[in-house]
Amino acid sequence: MSLVVTFNGAGPTTSNMGVSALYATMVSGVHRRLPEAKLHVLDTLLGCRVASHRLDAGSPIEVNFLGVRIGRRYHRWENLKQMKLASRLGRLGSRLNPGVKVLGESACLLDVSGGDSFTDMYPDDRISLVSGVKELSLAIGTPLVMLPQTYGPFAESRDRAASIVRASRACWARDERSFEVLKGLLGSEFDPDRHRSGVDMAFGLVPREPCAETVSEFEQFRGSDSQLVVGLNVSGLMYNNPEVTRAKYGFVADYRQTIDRFVDWVMTETDAKILLVPHVMSTTESQESDPAACQAVMSRVADDVQERFMISPVDVDQCEVKWLISRSDWFCGTRMHATIAGLSTCTPTATVSYSDKALGVFETCGQGGEVFDPRKLDTDTVVAAMIDSYRRRAELKKSLEVHVPVVKVAAESQMDDIVSVIRQCADERSRTG
């Protein structure tokens, strides 16, 4: 019986480099350890597809993709409700529905929930898809393995989430704070052999040099080795709609003013250049577009300092954007995985973050003091904190050089443990199958 492993919760077809980083790390990590396995990834596109992707510094690997969706097009086999119905029909359901067939043949379902999407905090109906696929796997009898991620916060979905994690074969949290939430969901069913505190998988993502043209453009921008480069990831979600952001997330600080004032300080008080790094590559028409926010930041500065700015290309992949971030002398980002790219390459890194997830991840690297929460701090305080962090970049780098190697070892050991669970699930299914 061939070994089949299916992944859910991250793929290469979104514009979000953080989701792409999780996809690349989880799939390449399993492939390196189980090269014989047939790999399937559930995404939200239509149909069954096969593609070759270069996920790290190695050669491209072949990955099979299947669509899973929610919505009212119940006639499509990708519809989650149709899949759940087919799952009740046993072997007939497998013949009728390709997704049910693949899940039924899989040793287990590895689910990462986009890193932070196993929550009902989002205003859309994302929890229905995120939880529904997990429940489908359990209903089919395919073991569910929860990869390192953030759990919660939950409001009305807490009981549903608790039922899922209790039925899972194994669960990893990506930091100690989220691990405490996981333990709360599990209650008396917490088992340290099955439920573990880990690290975000993107700490294991391999940075890779982009194409020669991009490298040349960056080297010309940087100039001499003595020229400092400030890396800055501006969230389009926060920058493009500051009033909406303030009302929706309860900001005390004005995010746009925070970014603009820090940029002005760099331009007037230092000789550093600024590398603006989009991490959600939505088109500029999108309200969440990081490239649009970067363009807006650049458009407001004087013509005589325009040459001190560069916006990194939008056609780079998750490994290449990590390489670019690692070329910064100090980096500040709002997108979670942009900052992980900085931390994991020992680049002095801070974050202006409105999410509780950031603190736990930064604490993993001994950098909890570099998290500046605009929900709690006013604009003046956040700007001052960013300036102070930039000035302490040498100190931060030394700290990261102590902590990050430990985190990277933990990331590799964690992947070894995940693959060990896959093997156990495969052995058990072959004996009963």
Side-chain angles (χ1 to χ4, degrees), residues 218 221-222 227-233 262-263 265-267 270-277 308-310 324-325 327-333 347-348 386 390-391 393:
F218 175 77
F221 162 72
R222 183 180 190 107
Q227 183 73 62
L228 293 177
V229 173
V230 169
L232 192 60
N233 161 247
F262 177 74
V263 167
W265 179 85
V266 173
M267 290 295 102
T270 80
D271 295 324
K273 296 182 176 181
I274 294 182
L275 175 67
L276 294 164
V277 186
R308 291 171 63 186
F309 286 83
M310 174 182 170
L324 284 163
I325 288 171
R327 265 49 193 175
S328 305
D329 295 286
W330 177 84
F331 181 76
C332 184
T347 304
M386 294 169 72
Y390 169 78
R391 287 172 170 162
R393 60 191 179 276

Side-chain angles (χ1 to χ4, degrees), residues 287-308:
Q287 293 298 307
E288 295 192 17
S289 171
D290 287 7
C294 291
Q295 291 286 355
V297 169
M298 252 189 95
S299 67
R300 58 172 296 279
V301 301
D303 291 343
D304 60 349
V305 296
Q306 288 281 328
E307 72 277 3
R308 291 171 63 186

Side-chain angles (χ1 to χ4, degrees), residues 102-124:
V102 166
L103 274 175
E105 294 173 346
S106 299
C108 56
L109 177 68
L110 303 179
D111 194 304
V112 73
S113 305
D116 64 355
S117 291
F118 193 29
T119 174
D120 54 15
M121 69 173 284
Y122 293 105
D124 55 26

Side-chain angles (χ1 to χ4, degrees), residues 52-291:
S52 291
H53 287 147
R54 191 179 182 197
L55 302 179
D56 50 25
S59 301
I61 66 173
E62 187 175 277
V63 183
N64 302 275
F65 294 89
L66 299 95
V68 181
R69 293 179 161 198
I70 56 174
R72 296 181 179 179
R73 296 184 178 180
Y74 305 119
H75 63 284
R76 299 206 61 97
W77 68 257
E78 300 95 346
N79 186 278
L80 186 56
K81 288 190 175 180
Q82 188 190 121
M83 294 178 77
K84 288 184 175 181
L85 178 61
S87 71
R88 299 171 188 163
L89 303 178
R91 292 182 180 178
L92 175 60
S94 293
R95 288 197 293 268
L96 293 173
N97 192 291
V100 170
K101 181 177 186 293
V102 166
L103 274 175
E105 294 173 346
S106 299
C108 56
L109 177 68
L110 303 179
D111 194 304
V112 73
S113 305
D116 64 355
S117 291
F118 193 29
T119 174
D120 54 15
M121 69 173 284
Y122 293 105
D124 55 26
D125 198 28
R126 193 178 314 181
I127 188 66
S128 296
L129 180 61
V130 171
S131 295
V133 175
K134 297 173 178 57
E135 292 163 341
L136 174 65
S137 179
L138 294 170
I140 291 172
T142 300
L144 174 63
V145 178
M146 301 284 283
L147 297 177
Q149 58 191 274
T150 295
Y151 296 83
F154 296 105
E156 64 272 12
S157 301
R158 182 178 175 81
D159 289 345
R160 186 179 189 181
S163 176
I164 289 170
V165 297
R166 289 170 185 170
S168 298
R169 175 59 183 267
C171 302
W172 275 264
R174 68 177 175 183
D175 60 73
E176 288 293 334
R177 289 173 180 266
S178 194
F179 188 49
E180 291 302 314
V181 176
L182 174 61
K183 288 196 288 187
L185 293 170
L186 291 162
S188 61
E189 296 186 41
F190 170 71
D191 178 354
D193 291 332
R194 294 170 47 223
H195 309 123
R196 310 180 197 182
S197 180
V199 299
D200 191 286
M201 289 186 299
F203 277 100
L205 182 71
V206 178
R208 185 178 67 248
E209 189 173 286
C211 69
E213 182 180 352
T214 298
V215 173
S216 175
E217 181 185 2
F218 175 77
E219 295 301 336
Q220 290 178 26
F221 162 72
R222 183 180 190 107
S224 68
D225 290 339
S226 61
Q227 183 73 62
L228 293 177
V229 173
V230 169
L232 192 60
N233 161 247
V234 182
S235 166
L237 179 66
M238 304 292 107
Y239 190 90
N240 298 333
N241 298 283
E243 279 73 33
V244 173
T245 297
R246 184 188 294 270
K248 185 175 180 180
Y249 296 104
F251 277 21
V252 176
D254 184 303
Y255 182 81
R256 183 184 290 179
Q257 285 189 25
T258 297
I259 297 299
D260 291 346
R261 286 173 54 181
F262 177 74
V263 167
D264 290 344
W265 179 85
V266 173
M267 290 295 102
T268 57
E269 301 299 325
T270 80
D271 295 324
K273 296 182 176 181
I274 294 182
L275 175 67
L276 294 164
V277 186
H279 216 250
V280 172
M281 312 300 195
S282 307
T283 61
T284 53
E285 292 77 20
S286 169
Q287 293 298 307
E288 295 192 17
S289 171
D290 287 7

